[in-house]
Amino acid sequence: MVLKLFIGEKEEERSSIQHVYLYLKVFFKDMPKACKNDNINDTICYNKLFELISKNFDHQKYHLLEKLAYDIGKFIIKNYKNIDNLEIKIEKPELK
């Protein structure tokens, strides 16, 4: 997924929107029923999860990728009780 936000240590980096690539690996507390019944209603809709992340983090200002990753992780764990753990990878291809 691609987030569009103001990010960078220096003010000049945060002066314009930059693209950041977000990769998530989700670990569940319990195996979702959907693993057995193939029903989307019995698991997380990843499209909806990505929409929520975009809605809450696009156009925000951050100095560090680490803080962005922490905030996204905290947001996901708070909103999805069946998620036990996350692996978050963030790449910032645009260097200014």
Side-chain angles (χ1 to χ4, degrees), residues 12-24:
E12 63 195 43
E13 289 181 278
R14 294 186 310 278
S15 65
S16 61
I17 292 281
Q18 295 185 56
H19 293 136
V20 172
Y21 298 100
L22 174 66
Y23 305 90
L24 295 175

Side-chain angles (χ1 to χ4, degrees), residues 4-19 59-63 92 94-96:
K4 295 171 231 92
L5 43 88
F6 302 92
I7 190 159
E9 179 187 357
K10 299 175 183 161
E11 182 63 39
E12 63 195 43
E13 289 181 278
R14 294 186 310 278
S15 65
S16 61
I17 292 281
Q18 295 185 56
H19 293 136
H59 300 98
Q60 297 297 314
K61 287 192 175 190
Y62 281 90
H63 290 143
K92 181 182 166 189
E94 302 170 14
L95 297 175
K96 295 185 176 188

Side-chain angles (χ1 to χ4, degrees), residues 10 16 18 20 26 28-29 32 36 55 70 76 83 87:
K10 299 175 183 161
S16 61
Q18 295 185 56
V20 172
V26 175
F28 294 99
K29 290 180 185 177
K36 294 181 180 177
K55 181 180 175 185
Y70 174 79
I76 293 170
I83 294 178
E87 186 176 304

Side-chain angles (χ1 to χ4, degrees), residues 2-83:
V2 178
L3 291 173
K4 295 171 231 92
L5 43 88
F6 302 92
I7 190 159
E9 179 187 357
K10 299 175 183 161
E11 182 63 39
E12 63 195 43
E13 289 181 278
R14 294 186 310 278
S15 65
S16 61
I17 292 281
Q18 295 185 56
H19 293 136
V20 172
Y21 298 100
L22 174 66
Y23 305 90
L24 295 175
K25 191 181 281 188
V26 175
F27 300 91
F28 294 99
K29 290 180 185 177
D30 300 307
M31 181 173 62
K33 289 182 197 176
C35 293
K36 294 181 180 177
N37 67 18
D38 202 26
N39 184 336
I40 187 69
N41 296 317
D42 290 331
T43 192
I44 292 171
C45 175
Y46 293 96
N47 191 44
K48 191 178 271 186
L49 171 60
F50 290 147
E51 285 175 4
L52 282 172
I53 292 170
S54 272
K55 181 180 175 185
N56 285 277
F57 292 94
D58 269 350
H59 300 98
Q60 297 297 314
K61 287 192 175 190
Y62 281 90
H63 290 143
L64 300 174
L65 293 172
E66 292 84 351
K67 174 66 171 149
L68 173 62
Y70 174 79
D71 286 352
I72 290 171
K74 202 165 89 173
F75 173 81
I76 293 170
I77 296 293
K78 177 183 173 190
N79 288 284
Y80 292 88
K81 303 301 180 199
N82 196 32
I83 294 178

